[in-house]
Every structure is written in C-alpha cells, then in structure tokens.
Amino acid sequence: MHLEKLTYKIKLVSFLWRMQKTDVCILGGGPGGATAALFLASKGISSVLIDKAKFPRDKICGDALSGKVVSILNKLNPELVNKLSSSSIQVGSFGVKFFAPNLKNIRIPFKKDYPAVGNAPGFISKRIDFDNFLIEQVKLQPLIQLIENTQLKYFKRTNNEWLVGLNENEILFSSKLLVAADGAHSAFAREFGKIEVEHEHYCAGIRAYYKNVSAMDEDNFIELHFLDELLPGYFWIFPLPNGQANVGIGMRSDIVSKRKANLKKLLPEIIEKYPSLKERFKNAELVDDVKGYGLPLGSKKRPISGDGYLLVGDAGSLIDPFTGEGIGNAMLSGMVAAEIALKAKNQNDFSKTLLKEYDEIVYRKLWNELSLSKRLQNLSKHGWLFNFVVNKASRNKTVQETLSCMFNDLDIRSQLRKPSFYFKLLFG
Ligand SMILES: Cc1cc2nc3c(=O)[nH]c(=O)nc-3n(C[C@H](O)[C@H](O)[C@H](O)COP(=O)(O)OP(=O)(O)OC[C@H]3O[C@@H](n4cnc5c(N)ncnc54)[C@H](O)[C@@H]3O)c2cc1C
C-alpha cells in the first residue's frame, strides 16, 4: 500500500517536472477557441490550443455564418474575409426566406441596399471546412502551440494555476488561465462553471446533408420554415457549395420531451407531408447520416468566468435562442476572452474578481440581442402571428424593410420593445 502511494507520488512529481507551463491554455479549437488564440497572438500573447479531434473535423451545425462572423474576421484581419469569400468552401448568402405555417413566404435581404455588388453579408460553409479555415490561420501563428488528438479530462486548481491533463497521472500543462471553449458538452463548464442543461434554455438539433434539392434560392437566401408541428422551432434548408444543401430541424428540448418528438423520424415525415417540400426533394439524396447535437441557448444570463477560467462559446451557453446562431457569439466571446487575458497578464491577476469583467463585456455586447431573441422565440409559438406578419410583409414594402433591418440593426430590433412597433405593423 505504502509502495503504491510512493510510486504514485514519484509519477506525479515526474509529470509535474515534465509538464509545460503556459499563461493561457485553450480547451477546444472550434470557432470560439481558435478565435481566442488568434486574437491573443495578435496581442503578442502565446497560448496552447488543445483539441480532441484532428482537423479538418466535422461539427454538426446549420453551417450558416452570419454578418457577425464576417465582422469579427474583419477585426482579426480584413484579408481573411477576402480569402474566405474567394475560396470554394463557401457560398455567399444575401438574405433569409421565412415560410409561415400557412406556407406563404417572404424574402428578406440581409442588407437594405440588396441587390448590391460586392461580398455577400453572410456565408454558408460546411463546418469541416470553415473550422479548418480558422485552424489554418492558427497554424501560421508561431505564438500558438496547436495540439490535436488530445482529449483533456483532468482539471485541477492548485496554487493559483490550473493543472490540465489526460488524467491525474498524465498532466500536460500548468496554466494561469484556462479558456474553456470545448463546446456544448463541456465537462469543464459543468464541473467548475456549474452550468447545467436546463431544457427550456436548450435546443435539440439535427442536420442532414443532401444533394439535388431543387428550387434553391438564386442568391443563396437561407430558408427557415416555421411549420405548425415544430413551433417555436423550425425546419431549415441552407444552400451549400457543389449543389448540396444543409437540411435540419431545431426544437427546444422541453418541447421535444413534452411532445416525445423524435427529430430524426420527423425529418422525412415533414418532407413527405408538405407537397411543396416533397416536390423539391423528389430527386434529393442524403450524402451523410442524419446527425444530432445540442444547442445551449443564451436565453438566461449565467456566470461565465471564475478563478482562473473563462467559458467561451457553447461552453458558456451563448447561442441565440431565436435563430440558433452560435458561431458568431462563440467568436465574439473568444475575442473578448483575449482582451481580458491581456489585462490579467499585464496585472498578473487571474482572480475571479478581475475575470468578472469578461462576463460584463460579453453580456454588454450580447444581452440586448439575446433577450430580444428570447422574446421572439416566445412570440414564434403562435403560428397565427407568423401567418399575419408574412401576409402583411408580402403586401407591404415598409414592413419588409423593417424585418430586413431587424437582422442587421439592433436598434431596429429593439423596436420590438415598443408598443408603437406593433401599431405600425398592424395598421401600417
Ligand atoms: C444542429 C445545429 C445547427 C446549428 N446551426 C448553426 C448555424 O447555422 N449557424 C450558427 O452560427 N450556429 C449554429 N449552431 C451552433 C454552433 O454550431 C455552435 O454555437 C458553435 O459550434 C460553437 O462554437 P464553439 O467553438 O463554442 O464550440 P464547438 O464548435 O463545438 O468546438 C468545441 C471544440 O472543442 C473540442 N473539445 C471538446 N471537448 C474537448 C476535450 N475534453 N478536450 C479537447 N478538446 C475538446 C471539440 O473537438 C471541438 O473542436 C448549430 C448547432 C447545432 C447543433
């Protein structure tokens, strides 16, 4: 027994001796983690970025990259947007097509000046390609040490540092700051951030890749179909390069449980049920298995930092509760994490008191949007309301423009808080 303990201690000491010291260790190389590492490097701070996967790797997603993604890439390096928009891994998207439960639709451009020439306001790119695009930028940065194929499972806070490793006998790094960007199933966020899955603030999603779906939009507008049986969730069809389409369903988890819904079964049933969809999928073929994953929604404020750590992206539950957009928010929180890391390093203070500013900045930038989206999610329970708005917008250009601005301009989205907005919508 004594001998066992001694061997363990010797092992631990030898690992501690061999382990590498770093100021910032980033767990997860998705958009949140990769963006944090890239912004850190742009400030001259080195980091270790660790992922369990080897890139390129798939991530179940709708693959739609919003204007927010574009603006963060621009902040990082304007060349990146040109590089992305001229590459074959994406298609540019100019707007969104809303289908109401009565199956009428409206086409809402992302920008008021549509159709304008130049780069599209948003993109759609398979995550296997887009995430690898970011990782390619990471690989160009000497200040980032990228470690793939390494699943971290051991985290211990000791002497104001985090020890991270494969298990308690295999500790790889000691780090002053741990940026947990390990996605929706983050074990770190659960254990140390005390973030639980709350079904009314969580969404279930499935994704299918098809080829030969017909009648896709000529300017790659993404399609959101608010069908009665899915409200407040939706069915989507997003165009992809090479004539493929990302097709899926998202539904809040409490509603999935209440209705005992099986989303994988529902997908072909919906395509079969609606004649317009049936026609469009007549020659369509699945090119991969239908896969599901969780979406932790930002419809509730949670603490997203603590002693020596920051939670980024899905690990911090920052997905927009109405649109399901999480890539932009993951990148935004990664960018803010780098700002705070710089401050903490300069003051050599990685305490929860200093890191709390991360929560303040992230929510200052996102909370208006997240809380309005929560309100929209609640409104979207009512199918009749969708029918009304879509009917109205299809006849009225002002209503169309107002809806269009809602996607780009938060000030206009915040009109939703004012009774006068509804008055204009009703009688405009
Ligand atoms: C069905 C579905 C559809 C969606 N559609 C859209 C959409 O169209 N547009 C949009 O903007 N958002 C969408 N989202 C949300 C979006 O996918 C996420 O918000 C986004 O991926 C969050 O990025 P992230 O960097 O936080 O996490 P992730 O992209 O999940 O990256 C986490 C990384 O951490 C790694 N990792 C995990 N655990 C460990 C560990 N223990 N050790 C080492 N590495 C680890 C993983 O391998 C992964 O690479 C969708 C989500 C789903 C499920």
Side-chain angles (χ1 to χ4, degrees), residues 409-421:
D409 187 340
L410 194 63
D411 278 339
I412 294 197
R413 251 209 252 183
S414 66
Q415 299 291 326
L416 280 172
R417 295 190 194 281
K418 299 184 189 154
S420 58
F421 171 85

Side-chain angles (χ1 to χ4, degrees), residues 195 296-305 311 313 315-319 329 332-333 336 356-371 410:
I195 293 196
L297 305 177
S299 41
K300 176 181 166 182
K301 264 191 191 174
R302 301 166 169 94
I304 47 176
S305 64
L311 305 180
S317 298
L318 294 173
I319 295 183
N329 291 351
L332 182 134
S333 55
V336 177
K356 194 83 199 141
E357 194 182 345
Y358 170 72
D359 302 41
E360 286 157 21
I361 301 179
V362 168
Y363 282 121
R364 198 186 315 135
K365 288 181 188 283
L366 290 181
W367 185 245
N368 259 355
E369 199 177 312
L370 291 172
S371 58
L410 194 63

Side-chain angles (χ1 to χ4, degrees), residues 22-24 26 36-48 141-145 177 337-346 350:
T22 168
D23 278 339
V24 188
I26 304 170
L38 288 167
F39 272 101
L40 281 168
S42 75
K43 296 172 196 304
I45 301 179
S46 58
S47 64
V48 179
Q141 277 297 342
L143 286 175
I144 309 172
Q145 183 185 351
L177 180 65
E339 268 171 45
I340 298 297
L342 174 67
K343 192 167 175 182
K345 186 174 154 66
N346 285 343
F350 295 85

